[in-house]
């Protein structure tokens, strides 16, 4: 397991992170793995910098070919009588696909830049650069508040 995956699993379990992340994904159309990557980098004093475009390309291709189809198939089984085991197996496959994508994104660490900004503003800068790159307006406030809650250290 990579440090990025461990970071993501830990943060995702924090109150409000899952809801905010799914809002980014389902309502706003952002890739949660890229959003978490920006947060992970910021927590280490890093910024996506020149690696952002490559990260988005990797994530888009992986999600289009692997994670997206697995997610769609999993959702077909949600709520179906007697399909619980299949749903759980598909969820496990989806999570493994997410982990493999995060391994690929973590390998871009040497290509990222350094930032002097505090983690939350650095993450916001990375998320805004991501939004600009994919030509979307993003509302990252709820996500940033969840992954950087007041009173918790990074």
């Amino acid at each position: 397991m990579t440090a990025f995956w461990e970071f993501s699993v830990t943060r995702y379990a924090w109150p409000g992170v899952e809801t905010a992340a799914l809002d980014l994904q389902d309502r706003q159309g952002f890739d949660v793995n890229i959003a978490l990557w920006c947060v992970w980098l910021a927590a280490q004093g890093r910024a996506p910098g020149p690696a952002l475009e490559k990260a988005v390309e990797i994530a888009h291709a992986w999600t289009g070919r692997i994670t997206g189809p697995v997610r769609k198939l999993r959702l077909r089984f949600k709520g179906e009588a007697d399909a619980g085991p299949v749903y759980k197996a598909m969820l496990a496959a989806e999570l493994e696909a997410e982990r493999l994508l995060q391994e690929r994104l973590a390998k871009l660490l040497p290509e990222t830049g350094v930032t002097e900004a505090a983690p939350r503003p650095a993450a916001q800068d990375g998320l805004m650069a991501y939004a600009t790159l994919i030509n979307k307006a993003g509302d990252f406030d709820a996500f940033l508040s969840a992954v950087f809650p007041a009173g918790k250290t990074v």
Side-chain angles (χ1 to χ4, degrees), residues 115-133:
T115 181
E116 297 297 322
R120 182 178 171 142
Q124 183 168 356
D125 290 348
L127 291 168
M128 294 306 291
Y130 170 39
T132 299
L133 181 65

Side-chain angles (χ1 to χ4, degrees), residues 73-141:
L73 184 58
R74 173 183 61 84
L75 292 173
R76 285 182 173 164
F77 287 100
K78 190 173 186 172
E80 289 291 325
D82 301 326
V86 175
Y87 177 82
K88 287 179 183 176
M90 296 307 300
L91 178 58
E94 183 181 351
L95 289 173
E96 181 61 12
E98 300 280 4
R99 187 189 67 75
L100 292 171
L101 171 56
Q102 287 198 4
E103 278 186 13
R104 286 162 173 76
L105 296 176
K107 289 178 182 174
L108 296 175
L109 184 64
E111 298 176 39
T112 62
V114 176
T115 181
E116 297 297 322
R120 182 178 171 142
Q124 183 168 356
D125 290 348
L127 291 168
M128 294 306 291
Y130 170 39
T132 299
L133 181 65
I134 64 170
N135 200 29
K136 284 188 183 270
D139 179 1
F140 301 109
D141 289 340

Side-chain angles (χ1 to χ4, degrees), residues 51-63:
L52 180 61
E53 191 170 334
K54 189 171 186 180
V56 170
E57 288 173 9
I58 291 167
H60 180 77
W62 186 261
T63 300

Side-chain angles (χ1 to χ4, degrees), residues 12 16-33 35-36 71 74-75 78 87 91 94-95 98 139 142-143 146-147:
Y12 205 81
V17 173
E18 179 179 1
T19 301
L22 291 176
D23 177 72
L24 282 181
Q25 175 182 281
D26 298 338
R27 190 175 67 79
Q28 298 188 54
F30 289 95
D31 188 304
V32 170
N33 290 295
L36 287 167
R71 181 177 299 124
R74 173 183 61 84
L75 292 173
K78 190 173 186 172
Y87 177 82
L91 178 58
E94 183 181 351
L95 289 173
E98 300 280 4
D139 179 1
F143 179 70
V147 295

